[in-house]
Amino acid sequence: MSPRNPLSAFPLAFLLVLSFLPARAATNTADRLADFFQAGKIRALILSGRCNHDWRTTTPHLRQLLVDSGRFDVRVEEAVDGINAETLAPFDVLIMDYGGPRWPATTEKAVEDFVRAGKGLVLAHGAVYHFSGLSVLTDRHRSVDIRETPWTAFREMVGCGWDTPPPKGFHGARHTFPLTFTKRDHPITAGLPESLTATDELYQGMRVLPHAEVLARSHAPMSRGGTDQDEPMLIVNRFGEGRVFTTVLGHELAGMWEEAFRIPFVRGTEWAASGKVTLAPEACGPRHTTHSIRTLVVTGGHDYPTSFYTVLEGHPDIVWEHARSNADAFRGDLRNRFDVLVLYDMSANLDDVGRGHLREFIEAHKGLVVLHHAMADYQGWEWWWREVVGGRYVTKEEPGFKASDFRHDEWVAIEPAGPHPITSEIGPLRLFDETYRGVWTAPGIRPLLKTSNPTSDEVIGWISPCALSRVAVIQPGHGTESHRHPAYRKLVQNAVEWAAGRRQ
Ligand SMILES: [Zn+2]
Ligand SMILES: [Zn+2]
């Protein structure tokens, strides 16, 4: 070593300054991106995109579980190799649904530094043993031998794993078994029942490092190829200032559907991110609603493809029952049972009892959505089509009313007719549907949808002037092409929300 001279200190100082730059840049990145996250939510990043397990189905499920809890804003990274400290800076917690080759040194260091600095890391199932030097992977399409040098800091960070392949194999046969909480005063397990049921692979022979803590175990029965031991299933660890949660459950989507996976996973992610758990087990998916829009869907009198049953799918708050005829639907008082009626029937008649109940429902200011051929309902009940629906597909010519006509298999370019809560998120859309022409409409309807298709009336959706109830009419909806169209589904779901008074 040569004696130091004043000049040699200069580059050293310069390097020291440089070494502070990444941290400052990272902080700036978090600040700069703050507006792009939902305020007050935990920012979670799922690392995925490569695994011998089916990440293409499990990653979306993990994301949904976290989002549905209401506590997380979630992003997914499927090309993990390029991430660095700046990528991670805005996040509070990383979730590994990854199992593949080691990452570049920059990425591995960024993850280590992220956790060490006080943030969270969560591992599900197979993620626990990758980077251990043991894996030969099958990416579901082909085998990839990735036996490589273990990432030693990873083991320290996670606090558990396999040093060598266990003599009885990594797990026995998949079966249903209890996950028993052995440490019940940890924030993740506090208040949970003694055990939850799993249907999954039961990992065995894993070594838990002394500084890690086991929260739950499951017995691995010899009859299922197990070790006859109580194996560690949920593990927490501290790494620097950070928190790490591992669940070894979650072989595939079905396993991840079970509460033994869901509840600890969602609560464990909250703990890893924040050190606290506020989420009740009920918040740990699948989402259920406490403020449902109770909807009765009426069909009958006209055939339709079963795709119609999917139109209300995916809306978290719409729950619906189905009446297969108007006689079934209006046999009793509906006022206390339903908020909205969706008519997709084509009914010529309704007896006096049925009319009475339907009328009571409308007079109770409940909501009504009339779809497609239901525009031809009750030709002989003038109050219905004139006062309530505000329109009528005229099935047969009669004095003062020319018969309407229809045409199948038309491309219909549709635009919102003006601003309205039902169409506020709907732009122009194009449906392959049936058109109606010569539909009678009441004076005072508020147009919702219009088209310039020459085989169609111009206005093909409206709000009725009916003062008793919120009534929306949507003409399209003949077949599968519309039922499956995301914009059509959104339109109908918006109409149900609006009819329920939930969409202003
Ligand atoms: Zn597995
Ligand atoms: Zn039709």
Side-chain angles (χ1 to χ4, degrees):
M1 196 174 274
S2 59
R4 293 177 65 169
N5 65 47
L7 272 179
S8 72
F10 182 78
L12 181 66
F14 184 63
L15 279 176
L16 277 172
V17 168
L18 269 186
S19 71
F20 283 109
L21 279 177
R24 273 171 49 201
T27 310
N28 290 342
T29 302
D31 291 349
R32 196 159 45 82
L33 297 180
D35 289 344
F36 296 90
F37 288 90
Q38 293 170 297
K41 296 207 173 175
I42 291 172
R43 299 167 185 180
L45 178 66
I46 302 179
L47 307 180
S48 183
R50 240 174 257 141
C51 199
N52 57 335
H53 290 79
D54 190 11
W55 62 270
R56 289 174 179 83
T57 59
T58 57
T59 294
H61 176 64
L62 296 179
R63 177 183 204 154
Q64 202 63 47
L65 282 176
L66 296 175
V67 167
D68 285 352
S69 76
R71 187 85 173 93
F72 300 91
D73 189 358
V74 187
R75 303 289 190 277
V76 173
E77 177 59 83
E78 293 182 358
V80 179
D81 309 66
I83 65 180
N84 57 29
E86 283 212 51
T87 322
L88 302 182
F91 293 95
D92 304 307
V93 61
L94 306 178
I95 295 109
M96 268 187 65
D97 195 25
Y98 176 93
R102 285 187 59 178
W103 297 322
T106 317
T107 302
E108 292 186 352
K109 182 168 185 319
V111 171
E112 281 174 37
D113 290 348
F114 177 87
V115 181
R116 202 180 270 118
K119 302 222 174 166
L121 175 68
V122 172
L123 296 98
H125 196 63
V128 74
Y129 68 84
H130 293 289
F131 308 130
S132 62
L134 298 175
S135 327
V136 178
L137 292 183
T138 311
D139 187 24
R140 296 178 68 81
H141 303 296
R142 63 197 179 96
S143 293
V144 188
D145 189 340
I146 57 155
R147 266 174 282 211
E148 55 192 357
T149 327
W151 174 8
T152 43
F154 183 76
R155 172 65 59 84
E156 277 298 305
M157 187 160 65
V158 176
C160 59
W162 285 287
D163 298 319
T164 53
K168 276 186 135 334
F170 291 90
H171 55 81
R174 289 176 61 215
H175 66 290
T176 297
F177 55 88
L179 171 80
T180 305
F181 297 110
T182 48
K183 179 164 174 55
R184 302 186 65 195
D185 57 353
H186 190 276
I188 297 173
T189 54
L192 296 184
E194 274 178 39
S195 70
L196 296 171
T197 302
T199 300
D200 218 309
E201 288 175 351
L202 202 166
Y203 277 11
Q204 56 200 14
M206 229 172 47
R207 191 162 74 88
V208 178
L209 301 186
H211 51 80
E213 220 175 349
V214 176
L215 302 186
R217 293 180 181 271
S218 293
H219 187 75
M222 291 173 78
S223 62
R224 300 284 187 167
T227 54
D228 201 28
Q229 302 291 313
D230 291 341
E231 298 289 350
M233 295 280 113
L234 305 180
I235 300 104
V236 289
N237 192 34
R238 300 301 303 251
F239 183 70
E241 299 298 310
R243 288 164 299 272
V244 183
F245 170 73
T246 298
T247 171
V248 300
L249 295 171
H251 172 70
E252 29 71 304
L253 201 52
M256 287 184 173
W257 190 259
E258 296 287 340
E259 57 182 12
F261 178 84
R262 285 189 277 111
I263 294 171
F265 169 75
V266 176
R267 287 165 62 99
T269 306
E270 188 185 20
W271 174 80
S274 68
K276 294 190 206 88
V277 175
T278 64
L279 289 167
E282 299 74 45
C284 302
R287 185 177 163 185
H288 69 288
T289 174
T290 50
H291 47 283
S292 320
I293 301 172
R294 301 165 306 162
T295 304
L296 178 65
V297 176
V298 185
T299 62
H302 195 297
D303 57 0
Y304 55 86
T306 52
S307 55
F308 174 68
Y309 299 130
T310 70
V311 168
L312 298 178
E313 205 168 71
H315 192 295
D317 295 330
I318 297 176
V319 291
W320 60 280
E321 290 183 28
H322 180 206
R324 290 185 297 170
S325 71
N326 65 335
D328 281 353
F330 307 124
R331 192 169 286 147
D333 189 343
L334 305 174
R335 289 172 295 184
N336 291 325
R337 295 169 53 212
F338 298 104
D339 305 307
V340 176
L341 197 54
V342 173
L343 298 186
Y344 191 57
D345 62 330
M346 193 169 136
S347 305
N349 300 305
L350 183 61
D351 63 20
D352 286 347
V353 174
R355 286 189 188 194
H357 288 132
L358 182 48
R359 188 169 192 137
E360 280 169 356
F361 187 82
I362 299 297
E363 287 175 348
H365 314 299
K366 299 287 195 163
L368 173 68
V369 177
V370 175
L371 297 179
H372 195 60
H373 42 240
M375 289 165 68
D377 278 355
Y378 313 135
Q379 303 275 320
W381 188 15
E382 188 171 348
W383 176 78
W384 178 254
W385 50 262
R386 192 180 286 281
E387 305 291 328
V388 179
V389 178
R392 169 187 167 204
Y393 180 98
V394 182
T395 45
K396 237 189 242 155
E397 184 159 349
E398 59 187 78
F401 292 93
K402 262 189 76 186
S404 315
D405 61 30
F406 60 85
R407 190 164 162 136
H408 285 290
D409 299 338
E410 283 288 314
W411 281 108
V412 191
I414 302 168
E415 285 187 43
H420 189 274
I422 292 180
T423 51
S424 62
E425 293 151 356
I426 311 271
L429 68 143
R430 197 169 72 112
L431 296 176
F432 188 70
D433 209 303
E434 178 186 5
T435 55
Y436 291 169
R437 193 167 48 185
V439 170
W440 176 85
T441 49
I445 59 163
R446 177 172 174 180
L448 268 187
L449 303 167
K450 58 181 186 178
T451 180
S452 55
N453 180 305
T455 68
S456 172
D457 288 334
E458 186 187 1
V459 172
I460 57 168
W462 65 82
I463 300 298
S464 163
C466 177
L468 294 168
S469 168
R470 283 177 299 273
V471 181
V473 181
I474 294 171
Q475 185 273 329
H478 176 79
T480 303
E481 294 83 357
S482 289
H483 298 157
R484 298 276 185 203
H485 196 294
Y488 181 76
R489 294 153 84 104
K490 180 83 176 120
L491 189 64
V492 175
Q493 294 179 9
N494 285 358
V496 171
E497 267 186 24
W498 174 81
R502 302 279 179 87
R503 204 177 173 84
Q504 308 299 331

